[in-house]
Amino acid sequence: MALATDTDTSLPGAVGGHFDLFHEPQLSDPYPFFKLLREQAPVFYAAPIDHWVVSRYQDVKQILRDYDNYSAQNTIAPIHPLCTAAQQALTDGGWNMVPALGNADRPQHTRTRMNVVKAFTPRRIAALEPYICALVNNAVDGFRQNGRAELMGELLFDLPALVILKMLGFADEQVPAIKQGARNRILFVWGRPTEAEQTRLARGLAGFFRLCRQLVDERLAHPTDDLTSELLRVRAGNDEILSLDVIASILFAFFTAGHETTSSLLGNCMVQLLRRRDVWAQLAAEPALIPGAVEEILRYDSSVISWRRQAKRELDIAGVKVPAGAQLLLLLGAANRDDAAFENAEQLDITRHNADQHLSFGSGIHRCLGAALAQLEARVTLEILSRRLPDMQLAAGQRFDYLPNVCFHGPRAVQVEWPR
């Protein structure tokens, strides 16, 4: 097996050899480098993370939809192998996460998703809109008179957490512990922790899973009107339909997918739109443009810039042979800016006719189940903020900070201001 010369990461100066999403400048703005990858190294082996990296739209989409040749079982496995202490911390902490949705293959995935869809209905999602509106308006009421706000800390980080917790059935007082659990998972799976950090994160993850399993047991005894109770109703006491650990694993996955990705999407929306004050003013004047703007932000500055697959056999990807068992890092953020799929892809255009063809929610049978909820939260948030604070602008001189990992991309703080 041989790599193409211009993608050999052992060659000094090779484009692929400079791939590093954990550090600047790629951490905060990976897109210039993604452009180089699409042009010069669309498929290459990144030795530091032991993954083959794929960056062109058609290749990424084809892999996401090819269930015969690629497995999803590695999607939420740690990028870096677990040390012995971390493995023991998971075992001692009662960790029993099992493949359920995003990390399961057919036929198990088909069976589980079919049953989850019975509970996670469009009606249940739509019913959350008044709650989302109230959360956003209450937050704006709290900071509007100040003339400034740190949007992530004062609204955008907590909003998706509160929404997903309400939907799943967690109590509001559990928000801090569960938010920390989600952050632990990002660094544990997609970050580069030391062995000591990995062990600490493993303890936190095990505790987070126990919370999920505890909620399942509580709703089994006392069902209410929430998604957990509905999943148990679908289960109907039959582990062949959904086991209790599968339901706990679904809750665990839903929270991370429904919280961190959405808060990052909201942060990216505000940064990109407020950098273009004319576009922000346009949305304030024409709120009907907001759903299209959300799709374009998802394409242009996705909160999930990569996802993973594993080759089931030796395969050829764009003329490069990858071995059986190879782990693949699919650069969704790079694919979304491929000119072969989107005209003038490096430009943000909120009226783009095919923006919804982005890959930020995946593609095919594993497409994100929470896509409609994320879109709803983004639409409502932009409608309220653009209506109530049309003169909002980014505070001058700020530098946006990002969590070092290869998958999730969103600012940890966004300072804004407006005339009082």
Side-chain angles (χ1 to χ4, degrees):
M1 180 189 67
L3 283 168
T5 304
D6 64 348
T7 62
D8 187 344
T9 58
S10 68
L11 291 177
V15 171
H18 295 287
F19 179 73
D20 183 5
L21 294 176
F22 298 104
H23 299 98
E24 297 295 352
Q26 293 170 43
L27 174 59
S28 60
D29 184 11
Y31 297 105
F33 192 75
F34 284 175
K35 185 174 187 293
L36 284 177
L37 291 180
R38 287 194 305 272
E39 294 171 350
Q40 300 181 32
V43 183
F44 71 95
Y45 178 68
I49 59 172
D50 187 28
H51 277 64
W52 294 77
V53 181
V54 185
S55 57
R56 288 180 179 167
Y57 182 91
Q58 204 54 49
D59 296 330
V60 171
K61 184 175 182 179
Q62 187 272 328
I63 291 169
L64 288 171
R65 299 178 70 89
D66 185 349
Y67 323 115
D68 294 328
N69 289 312
Y70 301 95
S71 170
Q73 292 187 0
N74 68 329
T75 53
I76 57 174
I79 286 275
H80 298 286
L82 294 186
C83 65
T84 301
Q87 291 174 327
Q88 191 62 49
L90 290 177
T91 300
D92 293 345
W95 174 262
N96 199 25
M97 184 87 170
V98 293
L101 290 170
N103 61 336
D105 291 331
R106 296 186 299 185
Q108 178 187 355
H109 171 270
T110 305
R111 182 173 60 251
T112 303
R113 186 176 177 113
M114 175 186 67
N115 287 310
V116 172
V117 166
K118 293 176 184 177
F120 191 49
T121 62
R123 178 196 61 80
R124 185 173 292 280
I125 294 169
L128 290 167
E129 182 164 352
Y131 180 66
I132 297 168
C133 288
L135 289 174
V136 178
N137 276 312
N138 289 341
V140 175
D141 289 343
F143 58 62
R144 187 178 187 182
Q145 298 306 313
N146 299 335
R148 61 173 53 247
E150 194 286 283
L151 283 180
M152 298 306 296
E154 296 183 59
L155 170 60
L156 304 182
F157 191 73
D158 279 359
L159 173 65
L162 292 168
V163 172
I164 200 76
L165 288 178
K166 180 177 179 63
M167 186 185 74
L168 296 179
F170 285 102
D172 286 351
E173 56 265 27
Q174 292 177 295
V175 170
I178 295 175
K179 286 194 304 184
Q180 187 57 50
R183 180 60 53 88
N184 285 348
R185 186 186 182 204
I186 289 171
L187 293 173
F188 183 79
V189 175
W190 296 285
R192 187 183 278 171
T194 64
E195 289 193 358
E197 291 169 338
Q198 196 179 63
T199 304
R200 175 181 60 81
L201 293 170
R203 293 193 192 99
L205 280 178
F208 185 24
F209 183 83
R210 286 199 307 274
L211 282 176
C212 293
R213 183 53 203 267
Q214 178 183 338
L215 179 63
V216 171
D217 291 339
E218 289 173 358
R219 291 298 182 264
L220 187 62
H222 305 288
T224 62
D225 183 21
D226 54 39
L227 183 64
T228 304
S229 301
E230 189 61 31
L231 287 170
L232 287 165
R233 279 190 278 272
V234 171
R235 173 179 178 264
N238 186 348
D239 280 350
E240 293 299 313
I241 296 174
L242 290 170
S243 73
L244 297 180
D245 279 335
V246 165
I247 293 177
S249 299
I250 290 168
L251 303 189
F252 187 101
F254 262 46
F255 185 78
T256 303
H259 169 230
E260 190 72 30
T261 57
T262 306
S263 63
S264 294
L265 166 61
L266 296 174
N268 291 341
C269 281
M270 298 312 301
V271 170
Q272 296 299 344
L273 294 172
L274 292 178
R275 278 176 171 167
R276 301 160 176 83
R277 291 287 296 114
D278 58 329
V279 177
W280 182 251
Q282 188 179 11
L283 293 182
E286 300 179 70
L289 295 174
I290 288 175
V294 171
E295 294 296 338
E296 178 66 349
I297 299 295
L298 281 161
R299 182 200 70 82
Y300 183 80
D301 194 9
S302 174
S303 58
V304 183
I305 57 172
S306 73
W307 207 238
R308 297 161 70 196
R309 287 292 184 267
Q310 188 165 22
K312 294 182 179 181
R313 53 189 62 84
E314 182 179 89
L315 294 163
D316 182 292
I317 305 175
V320 178
K321 290 190 181 299
V322 300
Q327 298 203 79
L328 308 176
L329 189 71
L330 310 178
L331 296 182
L332 309 181
N336 285 340
R337 292 205 190 183
D338 191 337
D339 283 325
F342 303 98
E343 186 177 358
N344 297 320
E346 296 289 346
Q347 301 299 313
L348 186 138
D349 177 3
I350 64 169
T351 64
R352 186 181 297 275
H353 71 93
N354 67 336
D356 62 355
Q357 297 302 303
H358 63 75
L359 300 176
S360 299
F361 291 127
S363 185
I365 64 171
H366 287 94
R367 189 175 190 275
C368 177
L369 266 174
L373 179 58
Q375 291 160 328
L376 173 63
E377 291 179 66
R379 174 180 63 77
V380 169
T381 301
L382 292 181
E383 284 174 352
I384 294 173
L385 289 179
S386 63
R387 183 181 72 247
R388 298 191 62 184
L389 296 168
D391 296 324
M392 183 190 295
Q393 59 186 14
L394 293 172
Q398 66 182 303
R399 177 186 175 278
F400 299 110
D401 183 37
Y402 296 80
L403 194 68
N405 75 102
V406 300
C407 179
F408 294 100
H409 182 75
R412 289 201 265 186
V414 180
Q415 302 284 349
V416 295
E417 56 192 21
W418 56 89
R420 285 196 286 181

